[in-house]
Amino acid sequence: MLNMIQEQAKRRRTFAIISHPDAGKTTLTEKLLLFSGAIQSAGTVKGKKSGKFATSDWMDIEKQRGISVASSVMQFDYRDHTVNLLDTPGHQDFSEDTYRVLTAVDSALMVIDAAKGVEAQTIKLLNVCRMRNTPIVTFMNKYDREVRDSLELLDEVESVLQIRCAPVTWPIGMGKNFKGVYHILNDEIYLFEAGAEKLSHEFEVIKGIDNPRLDELFPLEMDNLRAEIELVQAASNEFNLEEFLAGELTPVFFGSAINNFGVREILDALVNWAPAPQGRAALERVVEPGEEKFSGFVFKIQANMDPKHRDRIAFLRVCSGEFSRGMKIKHLRINREIAASSVVTFMSHERELVEEAFAGDIIGIPNHGNIQIGDSFSEGEVLTYTGIPFFAPELFRGVRIKNPLKMKQLQKGLQQLGEEGAVQVFKPHNGGDLILGAVGVLQFEVVASRLAAEYGVDAIFDSASIWSARWVSCPDKKKLAEFEKANGMNLSIDAGGNLAYLAPNRVNLNLTQERWPDIVFNETRELN
Ligand code: G4P
């Protein structure tokens, strides 16, 4: 039994794709699913053209904007491994959600548009991965187009993202002259053919960089290529598994997602090198994935995944043991047992009932609002998983309603949206209007449309003269009480019941911090 659980955990690979919008995340996701046989036809993941919508594209606002507001989870098998791919919203306004998804993965695939290089959102996301030293695999995409110089791209990743690059493949040409890639570790050349996704055969492989067949095929290019590869091998880092697992070095692959070129190498890298689920820290102890008893934590809550099911889904990452359908699991924060009979997983665009799940897998628990982000579940042992971050919002709005009789609905709606992590809600000490905090402005639009659609409340958002928020704490309760008394005007309580200081400007924050040296002002709040 124990052996089986350990074996199952070892077979798992759980990762997310991080990229700037338009780098090719959706295209690559689709190719990964096609490649593994999880989906049969292109256009299932994002249906701009086919008219179908992805798992995550159900909200009107998403459809209007053609962006993926919410994350979803896809599971597929590859080479006797079970791979969980967690989708992250690419739009920067939803980065909070993305950050939390990244706490539930064991590795990340960074996709870079090779014509553009490192972009803003990639930098932010990589910084989040760094908080947990998440191993990163890099894919330089769009080599079927004119792109930037490959060595320059590696330099940029190293200097901007502060992670060393180890090219595993190397491109031969680009754009119309894209010939394929040389696999440095395997000493093989994979020949590129445009439109390859439509081909029934596999890409041709030529063994050995000195193979005379290459000179026949590319008489003009081979001398240069051999010289370039010698240079690359001398100038760049060799792949090293330990450094990759420590998040210090990233293997780099080159290709073209749309042509399905380079996809197999990425999957192989994930299966061969990316870590299986590791031990995970709870306040009480580190929990190992191969332990017999089930445990996990909720990293994301999603409302209305499907208009037919008007419930919320809590996404739980399994950290240990075996989950089997119908078993009783304990919701530790409220100390209540639930019979998890309707737990779901997400394949392609349909909900499926989960029969069993192991460390690394994600399960969805339908609920009516009693599960919050960061909640831990187990078979009974008290475990409090840590490390789910909330970030200090950068945008604020006061919120009023047109119809005062709807105050209760507004409060209920905002409390639930706050718990879901869709927006941060602050209740001022001085009893003024509720304040909403967000990382991106689109979050306010989503909240307004959901308040109207789900709670029947027409809310009005006013600008609020708040510059930033800090969660405050102090080990000395007396000092904290003094601080609260003196700063009531600027204090509020968030949806999780935590005390926050809302600063009108940077100067005010600095002065307050100087005046109250014993008080800790936190820029991020880790749940629990
Ligand atoms: P995202 O999820 O990261 O935002 O990117 P997405 O996959 O939607 O890709 C963004 C655009 O880049 C799409 O074109 C897509 O077809 C294109 N693309 C992705 N991979 C490659 C590649 O390897 N080579 C080339 N040449 N293009 C690639 P679009 O015109 O914006 O959208 P669509 O109408 O084709 O869906």
Side-chain angles (χ1 to χ4, degrees):
M1 171 82 176
L2 205 53
N3 251 341
M4 184 274 286
I5 290 173
Q6 284 163 354
E7 285 307 312
Q8 288 286 0
K10 273 196 211 140
R11 288 181 51 230
R12 262 51 186 185
R13 296 290 182 275
T14 301
F15 76 104
I17 301 182
I18 57 174
S19 61
H20 193 84
D22 272 351
K25 176 172 62 102
T26 316
T27 309
L28 188 59
T29 301
E30 187 164 285
K31 301 299 177 192
L32 289 169
L33 294 178
L34 273 171
F35 204 89
S36 65
I39 57 171
Q40 266 71 48
S41 69
T44 318
V45 174
K46 186 169 73 175
K48 266 192 206 165
K49 283 177 185 150
S50 69
K52 288 185 210 157
F53 285 96
T55 320
S56 55
D57 286 56
W58 75 96
M59 260 175 73
D60 283 349
I61 194 158
E62 289 190 289
K63 289 179 191 162
Q64 283 160 16
R65 290 173 180 270
I67 56 166
S68 178
V69 173
S71 315
S72 55
V73 179
M74 283 152 273
Q75 190 182 66
F76 56 89
D77 289 326
Y78 180 71
R79 279 183 33 203
D80 199 31
H81 285 70
T82 296
V83 181
N84 294 295
L85 168 54
L86 276 56
D87 188 18
T88 52
H91 196 285
Q92 61 172 6
D93 283 355
F94 289 86
S95 41
E96 265 201 282
D97 206 19
T98 307
Y99 294 154
R100 288 194 287 259
V101 168
L102 292 177
T103 64
V105 300
D106 302 311
S107 56
L109 172 59
M110 173 164 75
V111 179
I112 291 180
D113 181 336
K116 296 189 177 145
V118 175
E119 296 177 87
Q121 190 69 357
T122 322
I123 301 175
K124 275 194 181 180
L125 293 169
L126 198 91
N127 283 336
V128 177
C129 289
R130 188 158 290 135
M131 283 160 63
R132 296 179 57 242
N133 300 326
T134 307
I136 311 281
V137 174
T138 302
F139 184 62
M140 295 287 183
N141 191 22
K142 307 196 184 180
Y143 264 76
D144 57 316
R145 283 193 185 163
E146 288 302 312
V147 292
R148 287 173 46 189
D149 177 73
S150 308
L151 271 174
E152 200 185 293
L153 285 168
L154 293 191
D155 265 357
E156 188 168 285
V157 169
E158 296 209 335
S159 62
V160 178
L161 300 176
Q162 295 287 309
I163 184 165
R164 278 176 292 130
C165 292
V168 174
T169 60
W170 193 255
I172 310 171
M174 66 169 82
K176 286 201 181 69
N177 293 317
F178 185 44
K179 305 275 193 286
V181 294
Y182 171 59
H183 197 296
I184 296 174
L185 300 184
N186 295 357
D187 189 24
E188 283 172 348
I189 284 171
Y190 308 138
L191 295 186
F192 174 72
E193 281 172 80
E197 60 178 311
K198 296 180 203 88
L199 298 176
S200 51
H201 62 264
E202 303 228 330
F203 293 102
E204 188 180 343
V205 179
I206 296 178
K207 191 83 195 147
I209 187 81
D210 295 322
N211 194 319
R213 174 142 160 73
L214 289 170
D215 299 280
E216 282 166 33
L217 282 170
F218 314 121
L220 301 178
E221 287 96 348
M222 278 322 291
D223 284 349
N224 267 348
L225 177 69
R226 289 191 181 109
E228 187 174 277
I229 283 170
E230 231 170 73
L231 176 79
V232 169
Q233 282 179 308
S236 62
N237 306 287
E238 246 178 72
F239 177 72
N240 174 304
L241 189 60
E242 263 167 48
E243 291 172 25
F244 163 65
L245 292 175
E248 292 163 4
L249 173 134
T250 176
V252 183
F253 295 84
F254 298 80
S256 166
I258 205 156
N259 289 292
N260 219 354
F261 191 75
V263 176
R264 177 200 294 269
E265 288 70 51
I266 295 173
L267 272 174
D268 285 338
L270 284 164
V271 165
N272 294 342
W273 298 331
Q278 305 290 301
R280 192 125 195 154
L283 277 184
E284 295 77 10
R285 64 184 185 89
V286 173
V287 181
E288 294 300 329
E291 290 182 19
E292 193 178 346
K293 299 269 193 240
F294 161 85
S295 72
F297 67 90
V298 171
F299 61 96
K300 174 183 173 56
I301 292 187
Q302 186 86 70
N304 301 337
M305 293 272 307
D306 178 341
K308 281 182 287 192
H309 304 253
R310 288 197 60 87
D311 50 11
R312 300 205 226 170
I313 301 278
F315 287 75
L316 177 141
R317 155 144 181 156
V318 180
C319 295
S320 66
E322 176 181 9
F323 172 86
S324 56
R325 190 141 72 85
M327 78 187 280
K328 288 201 169 63
I329 56 175
K330 196 163 207 178
H331 185 184
L332 294 161
R333 184 175 49 80
I334 57 174
N335 198 23
R336 192 189 290 166
E337 223 165 52
I338 59 170
S341 51
S342 54
V343 165
V344 288
T345 184
F346 312 97
M347 289 280 288
S348 190
H349 57 280
E350 269 154 39
R351 285 183 179 196
E352 289 181 7
L353 286 178
V354 173
E355 293 301 334
E356 52 171 26
F358 298 90
D361 290 342
I362 311 298
I363 59 179
I365 311 177
N367 72 104
H368 299 293
N370 40 3
I371 301 181
Q372 293 181 10
I373 291 169
D375 282 355
S376 303
F377 284 75
S378 75
E379 288 187 40
E381 181 185 352
V382 176
L383 289 172
T384 320
Y385 282 105
T386 56
I388 315 279
F390 275 78
F391 292 82
E394 290 157 17
L395 299 162
F396 295 88
R397 297 282 187 275
V399 58
R400 289 185 290 129
I401 38 174
K402 286 185 188 143
N403 179 355
L405 294 176
K406 296 265 178 156
M407 197 60 195
K408 265 219 171 100
Q409 282 93 320
L410 175 75
Q411 280 174 345
K412 180 168 174 230
L414 287 181
Q415 177 70 29
Q416 293 198 348
L417 292 172
E419 284 168 8
E420 232 179 75
V423 73
Q424 297 191 35
V425 185
F426 298 95
K427 199 171 170 191
H429 265 24
N430 64 10
D433 290 341
L434 290 172
I435 303 282
L436 301 187
V439 172
V441 76
L442 205 55
Q443 276 175 269
F444 295 128
E445 262 182 64
V446 171
V447 168
S449 81
R450 288 190 52 189
L451 280 175
E454 293 165 37
Y455 301 92
V457 179
D458 278 325
I460 304 164
F461 293 169
D462 299 314
S463 62
S465 50
I466 297 166
W467 169 75
S468 195
R470 294 289 182 273
W471 285 280
V472 290
S473 59
C474 180
D476 182 343
K477 294 290 160 248
K478 228 175 99 199
K479 273 258 155 52
L480 189 64
E482 268 174 48
F483 174 76
E484 282 192 56
K485 207 166 156 213
N487 294 281
M489 284 289 290
N490 296 87
L491 289 173
S492 65
I493 299 287
D494 73 6
N498 306 283
L499 188 63
Y501 182 85
L502 303 183
N505 51 54
R506 187 188 292 273
V507 177
N508 169 287
L509 180 65
N510 289 346
L511 280 176
T512 313
Q513 279 176 303
E514 274 170 31
R515 217 168 281 156
W516 300 89
D518 298 323
I519 305 287
V520 186
F521 293 77
N522 293 297
E523 237 178 279
T524 52
R525 174 168 75 80
E526 257 191 22
L527 266 166
N528 308 307

